[in-house]
Amino acid sequence: MGDAAQRYDRRGFLSRGASAAAALGLAGVGLPTLLEACGSTKPPAAGRTSTPGVGTGPPRRGGTVTIGLNSEIDGFLPTASHFDNSGLTYANTVFDSLTRIGADGQAHPYLAQSVQGNSDRTVWTVTLRPGITFHDGSALDADVLVANLNALRQSPLTGQAVAPVSAVRKVGDLAMQVTCDEPLVAFPYYLSTQIGYPVALAQLDAANSTHPIGTGPFVYQSWEPNDHFTATRNPHYWRAGLPYLDAVTYKPIADDQSRQDALGSGAVDMMVTRDPTTIKDLGDAAGFAQVADLTQRHGQTDMDFIILNTTVAPTSDLVVRQALAHALDAQEIVRLFGAGVTEVNTSLFPPGSPYRPADNGYPAFDLAKAKALVAQAAPNHGGKLSITLDTVTDPRLNEIIQAVGNMWQAAGFTVSLGQIEQVTFIDNLVEGTFVAYTDEMFAAADPDLNYVWMSSTTANPPIALNFARNKDPQLEAALQQGRTSLDQAARVEAYQAVDRRLAADLPYLWFSRATWSVTAADSVANFNHMTLPDGSLDEGFDAGVCTPTPIWRTA
């Protein structure tokens, strides 16, 4: 699912869509993971390796690249702006994060030189690399780092994400100590997300969301919302020799076909999409190379689903939610709208993840069972069950909800369908003024990054990030165990319990994992192959997020 209109990504400031943790320790920055990548297998163009997105020969300096994105952002201030996949791509252009997720799935130090936790992971020390400056010439030091984290703690948007943090203090010119009121074993992973991009004090103090001042590889030049954003090479970048391009421009093009047409005409050199049909069309197109996150890794990816409000009638009734689940034929939805690219997944975790139980108990499609449950629940709701299913204004999603509506009607529901403008859609999720909505979220480098979307502690107004408002003591206990346990076996047990409780509570009706791809013209090289400061490889393209730092042009 996931709209082609301007997209508010509910996972924005928490997760990057990498793989989930498999064991403790390693590299001094937390929980390691496994990661695999997938791309087209057609013969490479001249100057390309057989792996899409990996350049050959010496890098070529100079030139510009224009990238077509699926959405526009609402600003560049981590404490106030909603960073979806486009927002994180912009952030990777003008900012740097304290850690980055590597190809091994671990959180590697980036702006940070080290991220070290104490024995019970209640105190973390973040030490910066020396000599890094912001685009305005000011230094990145511990004072700036402390100011950024305190601003994040005070923000209505990001405060819930860092709620375990009880104190932040400077412990050296380049070192910050973070104290948590409970073990926070995934803290290094949090520093790779929206809360891990420090901005200059000049931007932070002015609450400036339109003119980013970061440490990143490119420097802000201009932004015309819904038209383009352009940044030029940072001549003082702390990573010697990078970036290679003179400038990068992003063009938000909401419609997938229009974005594909722009790529074909040369109006853009690269494009991002999560539309299965477009991914399939471009996968073997001559003159282009594609990287797609179609293979599964040992962790969480974006999921397509319907979210149900558990606090309003009739979806406050578990029997009603069970009826809706049994009436929904996810296999048929994927067959009709997945273009042979997506696969059904009725779990929070993908196949192969250690956190996925052998059987989570999610209801199978069973129309007879759905009809029986409708008959059971209807007397408690005035004799009939009426349900409203809405999506954003997007043609593909509109077709999907029509198909779902037909399935629910076959089970005995009276169904009303609607399309809502994106801004209103977001407000309704936060405020709880909805019944059933299409949704897409949950990509995360560590399962704890999804805590705020599921916890009972975040299900209350005025800003409820647990949009479904599901409150389950067993689910909360499992989330807490996964968040605080240093024992990996206990974390596996906890997140398997989370998956089973979600299948029992049914705040989400699963379809499939969401898929993303980036496609580049043959003149664009190395768009998926960045080396981290420690010599290891970055995770590369994932969940719609690009990094322009390693890109060069072959012509």
Side-chain angles (χ1 to χ4, degrees):
M1 242 161 252
D3 53 280
Q6 180 179 337
R7 181 172 168 273
Y8 171 80
D9 194 326
R10 274 68 66 183
R11 64 186 166 85
F13 59 82
L14 292 177
S15 46
R16 291 280 311 278
S19 52
L24 287 171
L26 206 62
V29 292
L31 308 171
T33 63
L34 300 175
L35 183 69
E36 297 176 353
C38 176
S40 170
T41 58
K42 66 176 184 282
R48 297 280 185 97
T49 69
S50 60
T51 303
V54 179
T56 61
R60 180 178 179 271
R61 298 187 67 84
T64 65
V65 164
T66 300
I67 303 174
L69 299 179
N70 60 300
S71 64
E72 180 60 287
I73 67 169
D74 62 354
F76 301 91
L77 189 61
T79 57
S81 304
H82 300 104
F83 284 12
D84 65 355
N85 66 292
S86 296
L88 289 168
T89 297
Y90 285 19
N92 288 338
T93 305
V94 292
F95 302 133
D96 290 307
S97 53
L98 292 165
T99 66
R100 285 187 67 95
I101 307 301
D104 57 2
Q106 299 177 61
H108 291 247
Y110 200 64
L111 278 181
Q113 189 170 69
S114 66
V115 181
Q116 297 289 339
N118 67 347
S119 60
D120 66 359
R121 305 301 194 271
T122 57
V123 179
W124 290 91
T125 301
V126 181
T127 303
L128 294 164
R129 299 180 190 276
I132 299 177
T133 59
F134 289 99
H135 298 158
D136 64 357
S138 61
L140 172 62
D141 57 23
D143 291 322
V144 176
L145 208 54
V146 168
N148 271 263
L149 186 50
N150 279 330
L152 290 161
R153 293 173 63 203
Q154 296 161 11
S155 163
L157 176 67
T158 55
Q160 294 180 57
V162 291
V165 175
S166 56
V168 183
R169 68 186 183 98
K170 175 181 175 181
V171 292
D173 291 343
L174 296 175
M176 170 183 72
Q177 188 178 86
V178 179
T179 301
C180 305
D181 56 17
E182 62 184 0
L184 191 60
V185 297
F187 181 72
Y189 288 90
Y190 279 77
L191 301 183
S192 72
T193 72
Q194 182 166 337
I195 65 171
Y197 291 98
V199 304
L201 288 179
Q203 182 184 357
L204 188 67
D205 291 345
N208 176 11
S209 66
T210 61
H211 187 155
I213 309 173
T215 64
F218 294 89
V219 180
Y220 169 88
Q221 182 182 77
S222 63
W223 180 39
E224 294 184 22
N226 299 310
D227 183 78
H228 77 275
F229 169 71
T230 297
T232 59
R233 187 209 317 264
N234 178 1
H236 307 294
Y237 193 46
W238 60 277
R239 297 197 63 189
L242 293 173
Y244 302 115
L245 296 171
D246 290 332
V248 61
T249 293
Y250 298 104
K251 294 188 70 65
I253 304 173
D255 180 70
D256 283 286
Q257 186 59 57
S258 297
R259 206 175 322 120
Q260 185 175 350
D261 291 343
L263 181 68
S265 69
V268 300
D269 306 296
M270 297 172 58
M271 67 163 282
V272 170
T273 185
R274 48 104 44 244
D275 176 67
T277 300
T278 306
I279 292 173
K280 184 176 181 179
D281 289 347
L282 291 174
D284 293 310
F288 301 95
Q290 182 184 89
V291 173
D293 60 354
L294 303 180
T295 56
Q296 196 45 68
R297 62 222 58 191
H298 296 266
Q300 292 176 263
T301 61
D302 264 356
M303 286 292 295
D304 287 335
F305 58 96
I306 291 173
I307 186 169
L308 302 177
N309 190 336
T310 63
T311 62
V312 300
T315 49
S316 55
D317 186 338
L318 177 58
V319 176
V320 172
R321 301 199 298 274
Q322 292 170 338
L324 292 168
H326 280 297
L328 183 56
D329 188 348
Q331 190 68 52
E332 181 67 3
I333 295 296
V334 168
R335 185 188 71 80
L336 291 172
F337 303 103
V341 170
T342 60
E343 295 181 356
V344 171
N345 189 47
T346 54
S347 166
L348 179 64
F349 302 99
S353 168
Y355 302 117
R356 181 183 177 123
D359 180 9
N360 66 357
Y362 186 83
F365 170 62
D366 186 335
L367 184 57
K369 178 68 172 178
K371 289 180 177 179
L373 290 169
V374 167
Q376 176 184 337
N380 298 322
H381 299 274
K384 68 175 183 177
L385 293 178
S386 299
I387 190 91
T388 301
L389 173 60
D390 297 308
T391 189
V392 293
T393 52
D394 173 74
R396 177 174 175 267
L397 284 175
N398 188 46
E399 292 180 359
I400 289 175
I401 66 170
Q402 289 183 47
V404 172
N406 289 336
M407 293 173 183
W408 287 350
Q409 286 183 169
F413 286 94
T414 299
V415 183
S416 300
L417 305 176
Q419 295 187 83
I420 300 173
E421 289 297 325
Q422 182 79 2
V423 173
T424 303
F425 188 91
I426 297 165
D427 289 342
N428 292 348
L429 278 171
V430 172
E431 296 167 5
T433 53
F434 73 99
V435 178
Y437 270 9
T438 61
D439 207 347
E440 175 214 334
M441 59 194 292
F442 295 130
D446 182 273
D448 185 50
L449 299 184
N450 282 317
Y451 176 88
V452 296
W453 310 122
M454 302 178 189
S455 172
S456 300
T457 66
T458 58
N460 303 307
I463 297 179
L465 296 182
N466 178 350
F467 301 135
R469 287 144 173 86
N470 181 45
K471 295 184 177 181
D472 176 349
Q474 294 181 61
L475 175 62
E476 185 64 32
L479 289 169
Q480 282 295 324
Q481 178 178 326
R483 161 167 280 197
T484 61
S485 178
L486 276 66
D487 176 37
Q488 180 60 12
R491 295 192 93 223
V492 168
E493 176 185 294
Y495 288 115
Q496 288 188 357
V498 166
D499 200 33
R500 287 191 291 268
R501 290 314 304 166
L502 291 177
D505 295 338
L506 296 172
Y508 316 117
L509 306 184
W510 306 118
F511 285 106
S512 63
R513 58 166 301 198
T515 55
W516 289 91
S517 76
V518 58
T519 304
D522 280 341
S523 59
V524 179
N526 216 52
F527 59 90
N528 193 50
H529 191 250
M530 186 170 81
T531 302
L532 298 173
D534 62 9
S536 63
L537 284 177
D538 181 76
E539 68 172 338
F541 175 81
D542 192 58
V545 180
C546 298
T547 299
T549 308
I551 297 174
W552 70 77
R553 297 204 66 121
T554 60

